[in-house]
Amino acid sequence: MSDASRPTVVLVHGAFADASSFANVVPALLAEGYGVVAPAVPNRSLIGDAEYVASVIRRIPGPVVLVGHSYGGAVITVAGAEENVKALVYLAGYALEEGESLGELQGRFPDSDLAAALEYAPFPVPGSSEPGTDVSVRPDAFPSVFAADVDPALAAVLAVTQRPLAALAFAEKAPVAAWKTKPSWGLVASSDHTINPDVERFGYQRGQMTTVEVDSSHLVMLAHPEAVVDLIRQAVKGVGA
């Protein structure tokens, strides 16, 4: 049962994953009395995904600590502007500047191994004669690129149950950067082969965030959940929520 004196922790997953990527984090948060919400992010567009997460946040009474992994970091950068969000926590994530896209931030740095492991597929767009483009990771490359220190049997399941990201999301610019007005924490996965760790470091340093580094693959929530829970605790304590 959640403790009303504690904030609700909203966990926002990234591309090529779903809310189950927080499966090793949620039990510890619940046991400590936090309310937890882990919405299914559509992964269709940065603006649309942020609007959806913002709608979830607005239904939550009381303070929220907003946590975003990977592409979910870009989503919380926008959705985190909601009034009841008291802190942001980035996990191996993109911390965009206002007016910046994922592609622009990523383009400042050498590509990670992800670039060569992506595959593309069309999908129908309602009301349009032009299809959209889904982006996912080749299943054979997924374990090494995304989940090198996750149990191999689990990584194999994750590889074939991906939630693709629409290519549109890479080009949309963030209309706001919530880290400019909200206390923020960042975790760098220093053995990340999905996002160049320097992309993570740059965004966090630009935002003057409290930052920790963990020797982890991209899926740090599954590989090192204790480090993730500890950073969330720090954020809660840091804002007195």
Side-chain angles (χ1 to χ4, degrees):
M1 181 176 295
S2 65
D3 181 344
S5 67
R6 293 178 180 269
T8 297
V9 179
V10 176
L11 303 168
V12 180
H13 68 79
F16 323 128
D18 59 26
S20 67
S21 57
F22 289 103
N24 290 350
V25 170
V26 171
L29 295 175
L30 292 175
E32 294 183 22
Y34 296 99
V36 178
V37 177
V41 182
N43 282 4
R44 298 294 81 186
S45 71
L46 174 60
I47 304 304
D49 293 341
E51 288 176 347
Y52 174 73
V53 171
S55 76
V56 172
I57 293 167
R58 287 194 292 270
R59 297 198 298 269
I60 298 173
V64 165
V65 171
L66 187 56
V67 182
H69 173 246
S70 189
Y71 166 68
V75 175
I76 72 169
T77 295
V78 181
E82 289 298 310
E83 184 177 357
N84 58 328
V85 173
K86 302 305 179 185
L88 304 174
V89 179
Y90 290 82
L91 306 174
Y94 292 102
L96 300 180
E97 173 62 278
E98 182 177 342
E100 183 178 57
S101 70
L102 270 78
E104 289 169 339
L105 175 55
Q106 181 65 59
R108 294 172 179 260
F109 300 89
D111 285 340
S112 69
D113 293 343
L114 177 67
L118 294 176
E119 58 184 8
Y120 306 87
F123 68 89
V125 177
S128 173
S129 61
E130 295 295 323
T133 300
D134 261 343
V135 184
S136 58
V137 183
R138 289 196 334 269
D140 66 298
F142 187 98
S144 63
V145 171
F146 217 73
D149 52 357
V150 173
D151 178 80
L154 176 57
V157 172
L158 297 174
V160 299
T161 57
Q162 296 179 51
R163 193 180 187 100
L165 180 67
L168 173 65
F170 289 97
E172 287 188 322
K173 298 179 184 295
V176 63
W179 49 260
K180 289 187 170 183
T181 57
K182 307 291 176 81
S184 301
W185 283 256
L187 183 151
V188 175
S190 60
S191 294
D192 199 336
H193 289 271
T194 298
I195 298 177
N196 183 332
D198 285 338
V199 174
E200 301 164 22
R201 295 184 184 103
F202 175 80
Y204 303 163
Q205 291 168 0
R206 180 169 62 180
Q208 299 183 316
M209 301 182 193
T210 301
T211 302
V212 300
E213 298 219 4
V214 178
D215 183 11
S216 176
S217 70
H218 192 58
L219 280 177
V220 64
M221 311 88 70
L222 288 173
H224 300 279
E226 67 288 341
V228 171
V229 173
D230 184 62
L231 191 62
I232 293 171
R233 289 193 200 104
Q234 289 183 41
V236 172
K237 182 177 180 181
V239 297

